[in-house]
Amino acid sequence: MPPISTPQTQLSLTPMGGVGAQVGQAPHPGNNSISLGLLLDFLVQKTYHELSVLGELLPRKMDMERKIEIVKFARSTRQAFVRLLALVKWASSAAKVDKCAAISAFLDQQSLLFVDTADMMARMARENLVNARLPNFSLPCAVDVLTTGCYRRLPTCIKEKIVPPDPITSNEKASVLQRLNQIIQHRLVTSELPPTLVNLTIAEGRAKFHVPQEFEATLTLMGDDPAIPWRLLNIDILVSDPDTGDGKVLVHSMQVNYIHQLVQSRLFSDEKPLTDMYNCLHVFCQSLQLEVLNSQAQRLIRERWGEHVMIEKYMAGQCLTLAYWRAQSFGNDGKQEKYTLSVGIDSSDAAKPLQVNHEPPLPTEEAEHVNQAIRCDRLSIERLLVETVLVRSKIKLQELQTVLQRDLIFTKSTIEGTPALLYLPIVEPCSPAEYLTVSVDLQTGVLQPNIAHCETSLLEEIEECLNSDPSKLASFQYIATLRTLILMEHCKQSVQLLPVRCWEKLPLVAVSGEHPLNKLSSKRLYLQLMRHSSYYIVVDFKNKGPHQDEIEARYHLMRVRSASFYDQSNVTMDMTSTSEADTAETYLAPLSLLAIDPKGCIHGPDTYAPVKQDSNAYKRKLMSVGSSLKRQRYSTHCEYFQSELAHIVAMCDARIPYITLCEELTNANIPYQGVQVEAEGVGLVLRICELPSVEGVTAETNKALASSLLDCSFRLQPRGHGPWQVQLAFGNCPLSSTAPREQGSTRSVYLTYEAGSVVPVLKPFLLDWKAINRLYQPFLQLAEIISDPSQPMFRHVEVRSFNYQKLTLAYGKDKTSTMTVLVDPRDGRYRLLWGVVGASSTANCHVIVQHQLTQEFNEHQNLVRLISVLCETQSALQAICKLPTMPLLGATQQPQPVLMFSLLPQSSTHIRVVFRNTYCLDIHICKGKNTVSIRDGAYSMFDIMKVVDGFTPAAGLKAFLEMFVDESQLRRRSVSEDDNPPSPITMESSSDNFLPMQHSVPSPMNARVTGSGFAHPMTPPTATTSNPATPASPHTSVLSNQPYSMSPGPSGYPLASPPSIAAPSPSGVMLGTPSPGITESQTAHSPFTNMGLAMASPGTRNWPASPSMPGPSPVGRYGVAHSPGTAMTHSPGSSGINQQQGTPQATVPRPQPRILPHRSWAAAVPTILSHENLHKLFTPAPPPGVSGGTTSHMCSPIERFLGCVYLMRRCLNRQLQAYGETIHLTHIPVNEHGVTQFKSESLIYRITQNPTTMQTLQLQVNPHPDCKDPWSHDELQVLEKFFETKVGCPPYKYNAMVAFVRLLGAPTRILKDCIQLLRLELLPDRTLKWTIQWCLTIPPSAPPLAPVGTSAVVIKNKILFFIQLTRIGLTVPQGQEPQTVVIPILHDIQSNTTQHADLRNSPVTPSMHSVQNMMKRFNELYTNKTDCTIFAAVKDLMANLVIPH
């Protein structure tokens, strides 16, 4: 915004650079402008200031005055801001005013320039041009310049003074310089030179004299006349101070000029000019050197040496004296000796360099070496001082060495290194860190001892002795004390890698004075065995010998226990005193102290001691003998290693665990042989003579296992440092296995246990021994059966491995399934592990019932019985395992995935199969018959009229299962026999095997029967046949003596039809005849109670990991319950009598299945299927009538049937009943089973289940009689074909059916367009760029409009559906998928527009952007608004859509 001009105001404000400065206009000289922002800022500041003033003044005024002031302030402020508002509104049109002002200002400026120009020209004409004159013209110069082009009339003096003469040539210059060099050489030869000026060079007419560390002078001669004096050209002072000068020049340039003039004057006047020049410069440089040394000394004192160095005297230009080691006193009299260092000029001969003097005087060689420090290239007082101190230190150590060699005759000391160090060996052998090293402090001159592993107080005493009287070092036992400390450190280093912990003191409680512990020396070392915390190895040291130069080490084994200490008065010297009478700290009470003989430990049967050549170097009495220091210090062998102590620690660590084990064996009354050393000393072993018998195992098993046990030995691996290893050697195994490692006559079992003093070893071993006995008992029973080839089990079972801890068996026809039996030592229960071997492509089928099999085996503990169950159930379980159990998304109404099939085992022979948490199949495996019984598990086992909560009966299940019954071996049953349940009966006598007398629990069905007043009808037996599972109704006289009434119930029999068994007519004789299928042997080995039930009572069912499913009571499950192994269940291949497993059945032509009347409870009666037919029922196969190809979908028949029932009953009927009006469909009731019929506004739909196979759904579409819009046969056929191939087919998705049903309820013209899209999916048009796929459920790649898997068709005022386009016609690289895109289509029924369904706040991908643009363009260009636009819009996409990569 431009600035606002205020010509009427008297403000004189400077415009701010900002908005006004950017206009670039020139305001009028008399006008003032101000920025609008600045004006607003001023107004706000003025308002704030007035408000602040009011805030301070108003509290002091009356209420009325405050109100008046506030009103005045509000009024004035309002007026000001109203004016500002008017100004702002005016400023919006101020641009024209600004332009006019700028033009006016520019014109005024131009007018001012014209006026100033006229005034200046008038002034020049009146004042300057009046007296102006022109000179006479120089015609000759003009002629020369115009004709010749140059001016030649300049004066010659200009050339002489400005233009330089021509230089001499290089040859002339070289000849002159050579002549000048000859003249200088002649002058030097004829002159007298000082001796120090012999270092000179002559070049280029100059003579250069160089004196190191002093100066460098350059001279020349101005002619060859001998009277011409020397001319001094240059002087360089070479004295420098690299330590304190920081590289700066020490002499100022003015001083150099003064010296230059002084020396030049001497060269003019003296007879010996060169000598006089040298003396003058030499004296100056030496004075400068002394000054440099003095400044270095001051800085050295101030920064590093401090009071240890002092400048005693400094005379400028003469000498400098330093005093060092000022605190040093030597000698018994305490007289202080003075050490000084003096640097000065030699008074006798001034030409000499600086001289160094020492007090006390140094030897000649050392003094000469020290003096060289100041004559080097680097002038440093610190270097001179350090060299002096180093020499003094070495001299002082030599004097100490002389004293020590006189007093310590067995010790040889040496002096080495710079600075010098005195090495005094204490023990032999001695490591480099264990020498007593004596050094001299360079600053104080005090002797300082140093040795490793020594306390500070002892070092201070030795230091005081060395500096006062070194002769007392040996007499005061300092050397002996150091020997003991070093030997203790040797012991610590020797065991630092061993499992021990070193202590110098222990919190021991008070012991009596006669205790062996008090008789040991005070210098002790306690080694605690870390693996055995209550044991300590005590090492004490004692000085021996006439000169106390020998040390003896003694070893003891001490055992302690934890104790609380209360009496402080009797604390031993090894325990730190405490200030409290009662402390929580744990103390140790010594129990025993046993002396250890080192020789016996070293020379034992399991040790090896190498022969040593030098016995003195390795004996326990360590003597100080002289040897070469370098040989000891740089030896690669660790000579100070205490091998005795290492042997003792290893021996104690290895044998103490056996002591604990022996105590455990003694307490358990188990005989053993004692600890023995194995051959070649490889380790220790303890052998058990006899192991105890195990309770809970038969005496025969104990006796057989004890006779086969050859050896039982305990070892610690490795070498006593690892866990316990127990070896059990067995022989005479009753059964051989196929494992290659178990083919020998003996077998060894290795058991491992954790080693430790706290963890007992015997207890876990006895548990493992008990587990071995428990496993051996069923193994013996199995050996008796398998070893006999005549037994049937011999062909089906193979022992693959038996190692006395686990038994691995291979079973089955091909023996690819394995079972491993082992015993858990913790609870003594059997554990079963399952696996496969060989070429098996599937997992072990018994994994699904592993918990039930484990529970059953723990109850009967019979391997033969377990293997029989495995062989009988293997085929059926293999068929059940073929069912898919993976989760499926969109299979139900819930958004979560649902399992296709859930397997819920109830027992080893009873499994419930649940389909999508809706339908349930109860499968019982019949023992010994190669058959299974299947019933609808949705019906209660107690009352078939009741449905189990959570399950839905599967309509038509009975008829579907009958298709898989082998009719060639069974008698055809009448319709009433299959679909009518048997009538309840009342028995008065139970002399047969149907109902044992010990079962006195009434049937749950009894109350219902008696309460209703009538009994259910029962299928009467024919005159020629009788069903063992349906007992004939006896006469009333026979039933009158029955002590209780019992009803079998309508669901009481696990049989579908009675077998063809000839029996007498239904009379009382039938009840008195025992069942042909029940024998004593079969009922004795039942895994359940003696009732022979296929499932235990729900109240007593305790299968591990078994799902909580409703179960029957033991009596009322099937009325009179029988074991599946009896003749109550029959096999299509035999009548259940004398049948052997695996017998092939005769192939008989299968007749057409019987059409049974549909009863809601028909499937509650079990249907008997053979294992072969069960495999057909559960094995994935193509749809019926399809051999293969793209239309085939591998799916089991049971899954197809249940899927069809699920879609028909669960999905379709519910949708029509609940949402029929919403989706514009009307349900048409029909009386046919498996048929659902409904209609829309123009079509009638009929969905049926294929009556022949009952595995597929078929859609039949017919036009409505009242339909006005004609329907072609082709359109109806597209709907039927799409339903069969995309909707009513695997995986039978609930949401897919919902989407299709919604689509059928769409308006007619919309449905016609949708059928055209379905036609393009079924019959793709290759002329288009894309192929289409109608999405019935939302795919994962779709835009996030709804959760994945939900129905993808919504029809209300608008229609939303999803399609997937796939690019065709392009060559796709191998391994890369073709380009696909999922498009949500939104069609508005009222406006007849089809567009892309957009989601708010979602990112737009390039593909979505392309689709949106195409559909917008289509809606703009499409003019036919009468027809539906869905098909036209989608086909336009398929023909023209291009998506960028």
Side-chain angles (χ1 to χ4, degrees):
M1 183 177 292
I4 300 169
S5 300
T6 57
Q8 289 81 8
T9 59
Q10 300 298 325
L11 297 174
S12 179
L13 300 174
T14 302
M16 296 179 63
V19 182
Q22 296 175 3
V23 177
Q25 62 185 5
H28 290 284
N31 294 344
N32 294 324
S33 63
I34 183 173
S35 174
L36 180 60
L38 183 60
L39 181 61
L40 180 60
D41 190 13
F42 286 163
L43 186 56
V44 172
Q45 291 179 4
K46 176 179 177 296
T47 304
Y48 177 75
H49 174 68
E50 292 178 355
L51 188 59
S52 301
V53 173
L54 285 178
E56 295 178 359
L57 298 181
L58 288 183
R60 307 174 188 175
K61 297 182 180 182
M62 301 298 292
D63 182 61
M64 184 57 66
E65 295 178 355
R66 286 200 297 266
K67 293 180 179 178
I68 293 173
E69 292 295 333
I70 292 173
V71 171
K72 289 181 179 180
F73 167 75
R75 179 182 177 184
S76 62
T77 305
R78 181 176 179 276
Q79 290 179 356
F81 278 98
V82 167
R83 294 172 183 171
L84 179 63
L85 178 60
L87 190 60
V88 170
K89 292 182 178 180
W90 173 83
S92 61
S93 61
K96 299 178 180 180
V97 179
D98 292 339
K99 291 180 180 179
C100 295
I103 294 172
S104 177
F106 176 73
L107 294 177
D108 292 343
Q109 187 178 7
Q110 296 298 322
S111 176
L112 182 61
L113 292 177
F114 292 149
V115 172
D116 290 341
T117 303
D119 294 342
M120 291 298 295
M121 294 179 67
R123 186 180 300 109
M124 289 176 61
R126 294 170 185 169
E127 297 177 0
N128 298 335
L129 297 180
V130 174
N131 300 322
R133 299 290 188 273
L134 287 175
N136 295 326
F137 298 108
S138 180
L139 297 178
C141 295
V143 172
D144 290 341
V145 171
L146 293 175
T147 56
T148 64
C150 60
Y151 183 70
R152 301 179 179 274
R153 299 178 182 271
L154 291 176
T156 58
C157 64
I158 296 177
K159 181 180 179 181
E160 294 175 355
K161 293 182 178 181
I162 296 177
V163 179
D166 296 334
I168 63 175
T169 62
S170 58
N171 293 332
E172 294 175 347
K173 183 177 180 180
S175 62
V176 171
L177 291 177
Q178 184 179 5
R179 177 57 181 166
L180 187 56
N181 291 340
Q182 296 174 356
I183 295 171
I184 292 173
Q185 290 178 0
H186 179 267
R187 178 68 67 88
L188 291 176
V189 170
T190 58
S191 302
E192 183 178 354
L193 292 177
T196 54
L197 288 181
V198 295
N199 187 9
L200 60 89
T201 56
I202 301 173
E204 297 183 356
R206 302 177 183 181
K208 183 180 294 185
F209 298 92
H210 179 80
V211 179
Q213 295 298 319
E214 291 189 8
F215 65 89
E216 186 178 74
T218 304
L219 289 79
T220 187
L221 292 173
M222 304 305 294
D224 56 354
D225 189 357
I228 296 176
W230 289 94
R231 177 65 59 90
L232 181 62
L233 300 179
N234 186 25
I235 297 177
D236 290 332
I237 304 300
L238 303 181
V239 180
S240 62
D241 185 7
D243 294 337
T244 60
D246 297 331
K248 297 180 181 180
V249 180
L250 301 180
V251 184
H252 197 269
S253 59
M254 296 178 64
Q255 294 176 327
V256 175
N257 293 333
Y258 173 76
I259 296 173
H260 190 117
Q261 296 174 5
L262 178 62
V263 173
Q264 186 63 55
S265 64
R266 298 292 181 91
L267 291 175
F268 284 161
S269 59
D270 292 345
E271 296 179 357
K272 297 180 179 180
L274 296 180
T275 302
D276 200 3
M277 178 196 69
Y278 171 73
N279 292 334
C280 182
L281 294 177
H282 177 64
V283 171
F284 174 77
C285 290
Q286 284 190 335
S287 300
L288 185 59
Q289 288 177 350
L290 287 177
E291 184 64 29
V292 170
L293 294 177
N294 180 49
S295 62
Q296 289 180 354
Q298 292 178 357
R299 184 175 180 181
L300 186 65
I301 294 172
R302 184 173 62 253
E303 295 181 357
R304 288 190 288 277
W305 288 68
E307 61 182 6
H308 303 294
V309 175
M310 184 183 68
I311 300 176
E312 285 194 348
K313 182 176 66 174
Y314 173 65
M315 298 178 64
Q318 294 185 8
C319 67
L320 172 65
T321 303
L322 296 180
Y324 59 95
W325 286 6
R326 299 176 61 240
Q328 170 66 19
S329 62
F330 191 86
N332 297 331
D333 53 357
K335 180 181 178 181
Q336 185 174 2
E337 192 166 357
K338 187 176 182 181
Y339 295 90
T340 60
L341 171 66
S342 298
V343 181
I345 299 175
D346 192 354
S347 58
S348 60
D349 188 2
K352 293 183 177 180
L354 294 178
Q355 300 297 315
V356 182
N357 298 320
H358 300 276
E359 186 64 32
L362 293 176
T364 305
E365 295 181 0
E366 283 78 3
E368 185 66 24
H369 173 72
V370 171
N371 295 342
Q372 294 297 327
I374 201 173
R375 297 171 186 171
C376 63
D377 297 338
R378 185 182 181 91
L379 185 64
S380 175
I381 189 65
E382 185 176 11
R383 181 174 180 180
L384 176 62
L385 182 61
V386 169
E387 292 291 341
T388 303
V389 170
L390 291 176
V391 173
R392 290 284 186 192
S393 300
K394 187 174 183 179
I395 294 174
K396 195 170 185 177
L397 290 177
Q398 290 174 353
E399 295 174 356
L400 177 62
Q401 183 182 20
T402 304
V403 176
L404 294 179
Q405 288 179 354
R406 183 182 69 246
D407 297 335
L408 302 175
I409 58 177
F410 294 102
T411 303
K412 183 178 180 181
S413 59
T414 57
I415 298 176
E416 291 183 357
T418 301
L421 298 176
L422 174 63
Y423 295 95
L424 182 65
I426 303 300
V427 297
E428 214 32 70
C430 189
S431 65
E434 295 171 350
Y435 280 86
L436 177 60
T437 305
V438 182
S439 61
V440 179
D441 192 340
L442 297 182
Q443 293 184 345
T444 61
V446 177
L447 294 173
Q448 294 179 338
N450 184 28
I451 190 172
H453 323 303
C454 184
E455 298 178 356
T456 306
S457 58
L458 182 59
L459 283 178
E460 292 177 353
E461 295 179 6
I462 296 176
E463 180 179 351
E464 183 180 357
C465 180
L466 288 176
N467 288 281
S468 60
D469 188 2
S471 61
K472 298 180 181 180
L473 186 64
S475 60
F476 283 1
Q477 296 296 322
Y478 291 123
I479 301 298
T481 303
L482 291 177
R483 287 196 185 105
T484 304
L485 293 176
I486 291 176
L487 187 56
M488 292 177 64
E489 190 62 30
H490 283 184
C491 295
K492 293 179 182 180
Q493 294 179 0
S494 300
V495 299
Q496 64 181 355
L497 298 179
L498 300 179
V500 296
R501 184 181 300 170
C502 298
W503 304 91
E504 295 186 5
K505 294 182 180 181
L506 287 179
L508 299 174
V509 300
V511 295
S512 61
E514 298 179 356
H515 196 277
L517 190 62
N518 290 333
K519 298 180 181 180
L520 302 179
S521 63
S522 59
K523 300 295 183 182
R524 308 178 196 172
L525 187 64
Y526 299 93
L527 304 180
Q528 181 185 14
L529 299 176
M530 299 179 64
R531 296 189 180 94
H532 320 288
S533 57
S534 60
Y535 289 89
Y536 290 82
I537 298 176
V538 184
V539 185
D540 69 320
F541 306 93
K542 185 178 180 181
N543 294 326
K544 295 181 64 178
H547 301 284
Q548 297 293 320
D549 55 352
E550 298 179 1
I551 299 177
E552 181 181 11
R554 297 178 295 182
Y555 306 96
H556 299 80
L557 180 63
M558 180 176 65
R559 186 176 183 182
V560 298
R561 62 173 178 84
S562 300
S564 299
F565 181 74
Y566 299 98
D567 187 6
Q568 294 185 7
S569 60
N570 296 326
V571 180
T572 61
M573 65 182 70
D574 293 332
M575 196 197 73
T576 306
S577 62
T578 178
S579 60
E580 297 180 3
D582 190 4
T583 177
E585 183 180 358
T586 302
Y587 293 86
L588 301 177
L591 298 178
S592 60
L593 187 68
L594 178 64
I596 300 176
D597 183 16
K599 291 185 179 179
C601 297
I602 296 177
H603 300 86
D606 56 343
T607 58
Y608 170 73
V611 180
K612 305 175 180 58
Q613 299 178 359
D614 188 5
S615 60
N616 295 327
Y618 292 91
K619 63 182 179 179
R620 287 190 299 117
K621 297 181 179 180
L622 303 176
M623 301 179 58
S624 299
V625 296
S627 61
S628 174
L629 176 64
K630 292 184 179 180
R631 181 181 59 83
Q632 298 169 9
R633 292 177 57 195
Y634 303 106
S635 176
T636 58
H637 179 62
C638 186
E639 298 179 348
Y640 53 85
F641 178 74
Q642 302 296 316
S643 59
E644 285 183 358
L645 181 59
H647 276 291
I648 292 173
V649 170
M651 182 198 69
C652 295
D653 199 26
R655 289 183 177 266
I656 287 177
Y658 289 93
I659 298 174
T660 306
L661 178 60
C662 291
E663 293 177 354
E664 295 182 15
L665 293 174
T666 303
N667 297 333
N669 296 325
I670 298 177
Y672 58 94
Q673 296 181 359
V675 182
Q676 303 174 4
V677 179
E678 293 193 281
E680 300 298 332
V682 296
L684 303 177
V685 63
L686 187 144
R687 288 184 169 83
I688 305 297
C689 299
E690 182 181 358
L691 290 176
S693 301
V694 177
E695 297 181 359
V697 181
T698 61
E700 292 79 4
T701 303
N702 281 322
K703 183 178 179 181
L705 191 61
S707 61
S708 63
L709 179 63
L710 304 179
D711 180 42
C712 176
S713 55
F714 285 76
R715 295 179 179 85
L716 273 176
Q717 299 293 334
R719 290 288 297 176
H721 299 161
W724 282 103
Q725 186 184 68
V726 182
Q727 180 184 3
L728 298 173
F730 294 94
N732 300 325
C733 184
L735 194 62
S736 61
S737 64
T738 59
R741 301 178 60 179
E742 300 176 1
Q743 302 302 321
S745 59
T746 60
R747 302 181 185 180
S748 296
V749 179
Y750 295 94
L751 306 176
T752 304
Y753 305 100
E754 181 181 357
S757 58
V758 180
V759 181
V761 181
L762 188 60
K763 182 177 179 180
F765 168 69
L766 292 179
L767 292 178
D768 287 338
W769 174 247
K770 183 178 180 180
I772 292 174
N773 278 266
R774 286 182 59 82
L775 182 63
Y776 197 70
Q777 180 173 348
F779 178 70
L780 285 178
Q781 301 174 1
L782 180 67
E784 297 176 359
I785 303 299
I786 297 183
S787 58
D788 188 2
S790 61
Q791 294 291 337
M793 192 176 297
F794 181 81
R795 299 188 301 272
H796 301 288
V797 181
E798 177 184 83
V799 179
R800 299 190 64 88
S801 174
F802 176 69
N803 59 2
Y804 290 87
Q805 287 183 293
K806 61 181 180 179
L807 170 64
T808 303
L809 301 175
Y811 62 92
K813 296 182 179 179
D814 50 359
K815 297 180 182 179
T816 57
S817 300
T818 62
M819 176 189 64
T820 301
V821 184
L822 52 89
V823 180
D824 191 347
R826 295 170 295 181
D827 54 5
R829 292 181 58 83
Y830 292 94
R831 298 286 185 267
L832 303 181
L833 306 177
W834 309 93
V836 292
V837 294
S840 178
S841 59
T842 59
N844 196 314
C845 61
H846 287 95
V847 174
I848 60 177
V849 292
Q850 57 181 346
H851 301 290
Q852 288 72 21
L853 290 172
T854 302
Q855 179 69 15
E856 293 175 7
F857 182 68
N858 277 282
E859 291 180 359
H860 58 71
Q861 301 180 10
N862 193 330
L863 270 177
V864 178
R865 184 173 179 179
L866 176 62
I867 294 173
S868 299
V869 173
L870 296 181
C871 295
E872 292 169 356
T873 59
Q874 185 181 21
S875 178
L877 291 178
Q878 286 177 348
I880 296 175
C881 289
K882 295 179 181 180
L883 294 176
T885 57
M886 75 287 293
L888 181 64
L889 186 64
T892 61
Q893 291 175 291
Q894 304 299 328
Q896 296 82 11
V898 178
L899 294 178
M900 291 288 293
F901 284 94
S902 302
L903 305 181
L904 308 178
Q906 307 298 305
S907 70
S908 60
T909 57
H910 180 197
I911 300 174
R912 288 189 173 183
V913 179
V914 180
F915 177 76
R916 297 188 183 180
N917 298 338
T918 304
Y919 302 115
C920 178
L921 298 179
D922 235 353
I923 302 177
H924 291 264
I925 304 174
C926 303
K927 294 184 178 180
K929 300 299 180 182
N930 290 336
T931 58
V932 296
S933 64
I934 305 178
R935 63 181 294 271
D936 193 339
Y939 292 103
S940 174
M941 295 183 181
F942 308 103
D943 188 356
I944 63 173
M945 304 305 294
K946 294 182 179 180
V947 178
V948 178
D949 293 340
F951 292 137
T952 303
L957 177 62
K958 183 69 174 179
F960 175 73
L961 294 177
E962 287 292 339
M963 298 179 181
F964 294 88
V965 175
D966 194 353
E967 296 290 346
S968 62
Q969 301 294 333
L970 297 178
R971 176 183 58 85
R972 283 191 173 273
R973 292 165 295 173
S974 63
V975 174
S976 60
E977 287 181 60
D978 286 316
D979 295 336
N980 295 330
S983 302
I985 61 175
T986 303
M987 298 183 180
E988 296 181 0
S989 176
S990 58
S991 59
D992 56 354
N993 289 334
F994 274 131
L995 190 65
M997 290 300 297
Q998 61 266 30
H999 298 162
S1000 60
V1001 182
S1003 172
M1005 297 301 298
N1006 190 24
R1008 185 177 63 83
V1009 174
T1010 58
S1012 60
F1014 64 92
H1016 289 273
M1018 185 175 186
T1019 303
T1022 61
T1024 58
T1025 61
S1026 178
N1027 186 0
T1030 308
S1033 300
H1035 298 285
T1036 308
S1037 61
V1038 181
L1039 300 176
S1040 60
N1041 297 328
Q1042 178 66 24
Y1044 60 90
S1045 176
M1046 191 171 187
S1047 171
S1051 62
Y1053 302 95
L1055 301 178
S1057 60
S1060 299
I1061 301 175
S1065 71
S1067 62
V1069 183
M1070 180 64 187
L1071 292 176
T1073 305
S1075 171
I1078 299 179
T1079 62
E1080 186 66 27
S1081 61
Q1082 290 174 336
T1083 59
H1085 297 287
S1086 176
F1088 307 100
T1089 59
N1090 52 4
M1091 294 185 296
L1093 300 177
M1095 176 181 172
S1097 172
T1100 59
R1101 189 190 316 134
N1102 54 358
W1103 302 118
S1106 177
S1108 178
M1109 296 297 296
S1113 69
V1115 177
R1117 182 177 181 185
Y1118 295 125
V1120 181
H1122 300 275
S1123 172
T1126 64
M1128 311 312 295
T1129 56
H1130 50 269
S1131 170
S1134 66
S1135 61
I1137 302 175
N1138 299 330
Q1139 178 189 357
Q1140 293 185 355
Q1141 186 177 357
T1143 303
Q1145 302 176 359
T1147 303
V1148 180
R1150 182 189 181 105
Q1152 293 294 328
R1154 291 173 287 125
I1155 304 300
L1156 304 177
H1158 296 282
R1159 302 289 187 268
S1160 59
W1161 31 259
V1165 179
T1167 302
I1168 303 299
L1169 298 180
S1170 65
H1171 291 177
E1172 181 181 359
N1173 291 335
L1174 184 66
H1175 278 274
K1176 295 179 181 179
L1177 183 63
F1178 287 168
T1179 301
V1186 178
S1187 59
T1190 57
T1191 58
S1192 64
H1193 189 281
M1194 299 299 290
C1195 186
S1196 62
I1198 188 65
E1199 183 179 355
R1200 296 183 187 276
F1201 168 74
L1202 293 177
C1204 293
V1205 174
Y1206 181 81
L1207 292 182
M1208 287 279 292
R1209 302 286 180 173
R1210 191 82 174 179
C1211 177
L1212 184 59
N1213 292 342
R1214 286 191 178 184
Q1215 288 293 315
L1216 295 176
Q1217 295 173 4
Y1219 308 102
E1221 298 180 358
T1222 305
I1223 59 180
H1224 307 290
L1225 294 176
T1226 304
H1227 183 259
I1228 303 176
V1230 293
N1231 294 327
E1232 301 180 43
H1233 177 75
V1235 177
T1236 300
Q1237 191 167 346
F1238 54 94
K1239 65 179 180 178
S1240 63
E1241 61 181 8
S1242 60
L1243 294 175
I1244 298 177
Y1245 304 97
R1246 178 184 176 91
I1247 298 178
T1248 61
Q1249 194 173 0
N1250 191 333
T1252 303
T1253 62
M1254 301 183 71
Q1255 300 180 29
T1256 57
L1257 293 179
Q1258 297 175 350
L1259 173 64
Q1260 183 178 0
V1261 186
N1262 296 315
H1264 199 276
D1266 300 333
C1267 177
K1268 298 180 181 180
D1269 298 331
W1271 286 89
S1272 65
H1273 178 71
D1274 185 50
E1275 292 175 336
L1276 302 180
Q1277 191 176 6
V1278 168
L1279 269 181
E1280 295 174 355
K1281 185 66 174 178
F1282 184 82
F1283 175 81
E1284 293 179 4
T1285 58
K1286 302 296 181 180
V1287 182
C1289 61
Y1292 302 103
K1293 289 188 177 182
Y1294 182 95
N1295 292 328
M1297 176 64 82
V1298 171
F1300 185 74
V1301 171
R1302 290 176 182 175
L1303 181 63
L1304 297 182
T1308 303
R1309 66 169 190 160
I1310 295 176
L1311 182 59
K1312 285 180 175 290
D1313 267 30
C1314 295
I1315 291 176
Q1316 297 301 322
L1317 297 180
L1318 300 181
R1319 186 199 308 276
L1320 288 178
E1321 178 178 357
L1322 298 177
L1323 301 174
D1325 188 357
R1326 296 297 175 179
T1327 61
L1328 302 177
K1329 294 182 179 180
W1330 301 80
T1331 59
I1332 188 175
Q1333 180 180 356
W1334 188 286
C1335 299
L1336 296 175
T1337 58
I1338 296 180
S1341 59
L1345 295 175
V1348 176
T1350 57
S1351 298
V1353 176
V1354 179
I1355 300 178
K1356 291 184 179 180
N1357 296 331
K1358 297 181 180 180
I1359 299 178
L1360 175 65
F1361 61 93
F1362 289 76
I1363 61 173
Q1364 178 176 335
L1365 301 182
T1366 304
R1367 191 72 167 90
I1368 60 175
L1370 296 178
T1371 302
V1372 181
Q1374 186 176 3
Q1376 183 178 352
E1377 296 293 333
Q1379 191 176 16
T1380 60
V1381 57
V1382 177
I1383 305 173
I1385 304 296
L1386 183 64
H1387 177 74
D1388 192 341
I1389 300 177
Q1390 296 180 357
S1391 61
N1392 193 20
T1393 58
T1394 304
Q1395 59 184 356
H1396 183 275
D1398 298 330
L1399 180 63
R1400 295 180 180 179
N1401 301 327
S1402 63
V1404 179
T1405 61
S1407 59
M1408 293 174 57
H1409 185 68
S1410 301
V1411 173
Q1412 292 174 359
N1413 292 338
M1414 280 205 63
M1415 300 198 77
K1416 288 180 181 179
R1417 183 178 60 84
F1418 172 80
N1419 290 326
E1420 293 173 357
L1421 300 178
Y1422 191 72
T1423 58
N1424 186 6
K1425 296 298 183 181
T1426 58
D1427 297 337
C1428 183
T1429 60
I1430 294 178
F1431 177 70
V1434 175
K1435 190 172 183 181
D1436 182 63
L1437 284 176
M1438 297 174 63
N1440 303 316
L1441 178 62
V1442 176
I1443 297 178
H1445 292 283

